[in-house]
């Protein structure tokens, strides 16, 4: 039997989600009305706004009807992970769209950029409202290491998108880097899915210890990729003149891969330190 819970719409996180639905809807509606040519980056932006709109309204409906309690998943982990993912996706869309498709006289594009930026702020607020507070018992994805896992997986996706059709097979070093990105991404994805599906007990050992071990390995692997990727990807490859006019040229994408590799290395270092602190210090006090 469905039980309507009006309180879910009046609590702070419920109000924030309602505003997110409105703003993401306005963003993709304004962009759709402009009639841009179909391009990969525009498709990404439209997908981001539509995806966040649909999942957010689904969360509102499930909580309003109390059906979320009947789902065989960790609901708190799911909503927190989605809020973090939506924050990152909308942030990327809020940067990519105005840089690639807006102009000083494009009122609809400017409006879509503003509403997208506001939606990003709201999703960031939702992360703050739903994440676990110090001393609070909650799911893994509601903790800082859990949120970092979502961040690491998202950054890896950006790296894969930027690599695209680039011929990384010409150097074994670049193949190693792609293997690093892939292995670390797969592990982060497994952790996220297993946490949401309440399957962490299937890990062959204490989850926290396995997590720390894999994080240390990821730090070492990414440390090599930080050096190897720019060393080989820019070997005998100077910046073409067209890249000053075309944002999405291959050379610029390789720069993004280099930057994101450094960013993910820092994320894995923070993740490792925080996880080590939680296991070996918090658990012994």
């Amino acid at each position: 039997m469905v039980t309507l819970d009006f309180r879910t719409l009046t609590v702070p996180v419920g109000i924030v989600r309602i505003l997110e639905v409105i703003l993401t809807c306005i963003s993709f509606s304004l962009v759709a009305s402009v009639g841009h040519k179909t391009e990969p980056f525009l498709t990404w932006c439209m997908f981001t706004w539509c995806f966040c709109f649909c999942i957010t309204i689904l969360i509102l409906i499930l909580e309003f009807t109390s059906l979320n309690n009947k789902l065989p998943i960790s609901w708190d982990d799911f909503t927190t992970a989605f809020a973090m993912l939506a924050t990152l996706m909308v942030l990327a869309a809020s940067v990519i769209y105005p840089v690639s498709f807006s102009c000083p006289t494009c009122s609809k594009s400017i409006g879509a950029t503003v509403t997208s930026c506001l939606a990003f702020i709201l999703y960031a607020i939702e992360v703050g409202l739903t994440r676990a507070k110090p001393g609070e018992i909650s799911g893994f994805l509601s903790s800082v290491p859990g949120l970092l896992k979502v961040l690491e997986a998202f950054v890896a996706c950006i790296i894969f998108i930027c690599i695209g059709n680039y011929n990384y097979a010409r150097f074994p070093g670049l193949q190693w880097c792609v293997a690093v990105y892939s292995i670390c991404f797969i592990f982060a994805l497994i952790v996220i899915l297993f946490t949401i599906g309440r399957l962490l007990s299937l890990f062959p050992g204490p989850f926290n210890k396995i997590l720390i071990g894999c994080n240390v390995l990821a730090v070492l692997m990414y440390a090599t990729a930080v050096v190897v990727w720019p060393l080989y990807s820019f070997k005998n490859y100077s910046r073409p003149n067209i890249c000053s006019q075309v944002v999405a040229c291959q050379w610029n994408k390789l720069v993004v891969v280099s930057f994101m590799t450094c960013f993910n290395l820092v994320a894995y270092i923070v993740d490792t330190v925080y996880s080590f602190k939680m296991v070996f210090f918090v658990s012994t006090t």
Side-chain angles (χ1 to χ4, degrees):
M1 182 177 178
V2 175
T3 304
L4 301 183
D5 187 359
F6 289 92
R7 191 181 61 85
T8 59
L9 302 178
T10 56
V11 294
V13 69
I15 295 171
V16 168
R17 285 170 179 159
I18 291 172
L19 293 175
E20 290 165 357
V21 168
I22 294 171
L23 289 172
T24 51
C25 180
I26 292 173
S27 296
F28 70 70
S29 297
L30 286 173
V31 174
S33 66
V34 172
H36 293 291
K37 292 181 180 179
T38 302
E39 294 186 24
F41 282 163
L42 179 62
T43 302
W44 162 258
C45 294
M46 288 293 287
F47 168 77
T48 293
W49 295 318
C50 293
F51 173 75
C52 293
F53 168 81
C54 293
I55 300 299
T56 305
I57 203 168
L58 177 64
I59 290 172
L60 283 171
I61 292 171
L62 290 174
E63 290 196 342
F64 178 62
T65 57
S66 300
L67 291 175
N68 61 301
N69 298 321
K70 298 182 170 145
L71 296 177
I73 63 172
S74 175
W75 183 254
D76 289 339
D77 281 318
F78 169 71
T79 53
T80 305
F82 168 72
M84 184 64 179
L85 177 62
T87 300
L88 298 170
M89 291 179 68
V90 175
L91 172 61
S94 300
V95 173
I96 292 172
Y97 181 74
V99 169
S100 303
F101 304 102
S102 188
C103 66
T105 58
C106 305
S107 57
K108 289 184 179 180
S109 297
I110 293 172
T113 302
V114 171
T115 54
S116 183
C117 290
L118 291 175
F120 156 69
I121 294 172
L122 288 172
Y123 277 113
I125 291 173
E126 184 182 346
V127 172
L129 291 173
T130 56
R131 81 174 184 87
K133 307 301 185 294
E136 186 177 84
I137 298 175
S138 187
F140 172 73
L141 292 181
S142 299
S143 64
V144 174
L147 294 174
L148 284 171
K149 274 285 164 279
V150 179
L151 173 62
E152 291 155 5
F154 177 80
V155 172
C157 288
I158 296 294
I159 290 174
F160 293 140
I161 291 171
C162 290
I163 291 176
N165 296 324
Y166 178 66
N167 183 24
Y168 59 83
R170 60 198 181 103
F171 293 117
L174 296 181
Q175 295 179 42
W176 162 253
C177 292
V178 173
V180 169
Y181 305 142
S182 302
I183 293 169
C184 295
F185 169 74
I186 290 171
F187 178 73
L189 192 61
I190 288 174
V191 170
I192 293 169
L193 294 178
F194 273 49
T195 302
I196 293 174
R198 296 174 178 171
L199 301 172
L200 293 180
S201 59
L202 297 179
F203 277 86
F207 171 68
N208 290 335
K209 304 291 177 63
I210 293 175
L211 188 64
I212 290 176
C214 291
N215 282 343
V216 171
L217 183 61
V219 168
L220 296 175
M221 293 171 70
Y222 260 93
T224 63
V226 164
V227 177
V228 173
W229 178 266
L231 181 65
Y232 285 101
S233 62
F234 297 110
K235 189 176 183 179
N236 300 323
Y237 185 23
S238 58
R239 187 174 191 242
N241 293 328
I242 193 174
C243 289
S244 58
Q245 286 114 16
V246 181
V247 177
C249 78
Q250 187 63 64
W251 196 91
N252 288 345
K253 290 180 180 179
L254 297 180
V255 173
V256 174
V257 172
S258 300
F259 174 77
M260 288 299 178
T261 302
C262 296
F263 186 91
N264 237 8
L265 173 61
V266 174
Y268 274 108
I269 292 173
V270 174
D271 190 0
T272 303
V273 171
Y274 209 100
S275 298
F276 190 92
K277 178 183 174 183
M278 288 180 66
V279 172
F280 295 102
F281 289 92
V282 176
S283 60
T284 58
T285 58

